[in-house]
Amino acid sequence: MAKFLFVVQGEGRGHLTQALALQDILHNAGHKVVAVLVGKSYRKIPDFFITKMQAPLHYFESPNFVKDSNNRSILIGKTIAYNLLKTRIFLASMRELSAYYQQYQPDVIINFYDLLAGFYNLFHKAPAPMVVVGHQFFLQHPQFEYPQGHKVEKFLLNLNTNLTAHKAKLKLALSFAPYLADFKNIRVVPPLLRKEVLSLTPETQNFILCYVNNDGYGDDIIAWHKQNPDVKLECFWDRKNAPEVEHFSENLTFHQISDTKFLEKMRTCRGVVTTAGFESVCEAMYLGKPVMMVPVEGQFEQSCNALDAQKAGAGIVSKNFNITPFLKYLETYQPTTQMREWVQKAPKMFVESLEKIL
């Protein structure tokens, strides 16, 4: 039995659900997750993660994005400045990481795209080999096709990814589809989907599911709905001080993010309209639900996700939340089983890859 320690970026829901999925895979293979270190975000860590993660949880301060006043787009310049001002705090966080490493003595450290876990390796010798997990490492594959232009954004994304993976022995590159071969220490692997998703039986009811991780986009959905009141929308956001359920009209409802309710709505919807986070798109693809992806403004990584997912047959990409073209797309969409077949290979591929590190 090997001991694994997780370091998880708390900014994105996807990193948290990936950690839960890998926990189950490792436990089923006879291994143990001894601790989970979570880089704190301005977002509340979801209750489902705290409840279902079986290892001790510890939190530390980690870099975060800065958004505009409308909680829509990412401000790259202000993000860099804000995090540089917190250098002393992050140095203290790295000392915390060191103490936890010594306390738990893992055989392998698995980093779910937390920058400080990689930055730590710039200044210290880690007590165990590090493996990094994320779709971001698929973007480093030499055959990955980036959106046209965006030279500065591409440089900054790759800089962040390289620092996050500094001295990593293996990069497990999550991919929407198995269309690229392994390259050097990059191994192309399926998405990590939780058992709660894998156990769902999809059906189709007459509504569109909307999910926005930046609640400012909710106003765009409301504006579209006013022009299209006959289309039923079930939406999820994390707007502060908003009620648990808010009925804007008979056909427009906003819910605070709830794991079980969100998955049930995804199971039964006609299609999904969302920002271009990797995990939500994968869940929709697994359930055979077409997706309209709207990359978060200023987050180049999401533009890459959207282009890659479109290539894999997930759906369409839009610059805004005008849902009308998506309704037309739904008329001709034909689901495939490719994602299901790909995801089913995940347990074997992850266990084989990680056991080779031991």
Side-chain angles (χ1 to χ4, degrees), residues 189-332:
V189 292
L192 283 165
L193 300 187
R194 296 168 293 153
K195 58 187 178 184
E196 290 83 1
V197 177
L198 302 181
S199 64
L200 293 174
T201 301
E203 62 180 74
T204 302
Q205 298 179 10
N206 192 28
F207 71 91
I208 303 296
L209 172 64
C210 302
Y211 170 60
V212 289
N213 62 349
N214 293 357
D215 68 78
Y217 290 118
D219 298 326
D220 294 0
I221 293 172
I222 294 168
W224 182 85
H225 175 72
K226 288 179 180 178
Q227 302 299 317
N228 302 271
D230 294 332
V231 180
K232 186 173 182 180
L233 305 177
E234 295 280 352
C235 307
F236 285 79
W237 62 4
D238 62 353
R239 176 163 288 181
K240 290 183 179 179
N241 303 319
E244 194 67 26
V245 179
E246 188 167 0
H247 298 285
F248 283 83
S249 74
E250 181 182 356
N251 283 331
L252 177 60
T253 302
F254 274 85
H255 308 264
Q256 288 287 350
I257 292 174
S258 163
D259 184 50
T260 53
K261 187 190 294 185
F262 176 75
L263 289 181
E264 176 59 18
K265 295 294 185 185
M266 183 175 282
R267 183 185 77 83
T268 55
C269 69
R270 289 178 62 201
V272 180
V273 174
T274 181
T275 47
F278 178 77
E279 204 68 14
S280 296
V281 175
C282 287
E283 290 171 350
M285 292 176 70
Y286 182 81
L287 294 171
K289 305 296 183 178
V291 189
M292 185 179 98
M293 296 159 282
V294 185
V296 170
E297 298 166 33
Q299 194 168 353
F300 178 60
E301 174 190 327
Q302 288 218 348
S303 296
C304 297
N305 288 351
L307 184 67
D308 194 29
Q310 186 177 42
K311 181 178 179 180
I316 63 173
V317 180
S318 176
K319 293 182 179 179
N320 55 53
F321 282 88
N322 174 13
I323 302 173
T324 303
F326 185 54
L327 298 178
K328 295 179 181 178
Y329 174 77
L330 291 178
E331 296 173 4
T332 57

Side-chain angles (χ1 to χ4, degrees), residues 54-65:
Q54 298 173 28
L57 287 168
H58 303 281
Y59 302 93
F60 63 94
E61 293 288 341
S62 191
N64 274 276
F65 288 122

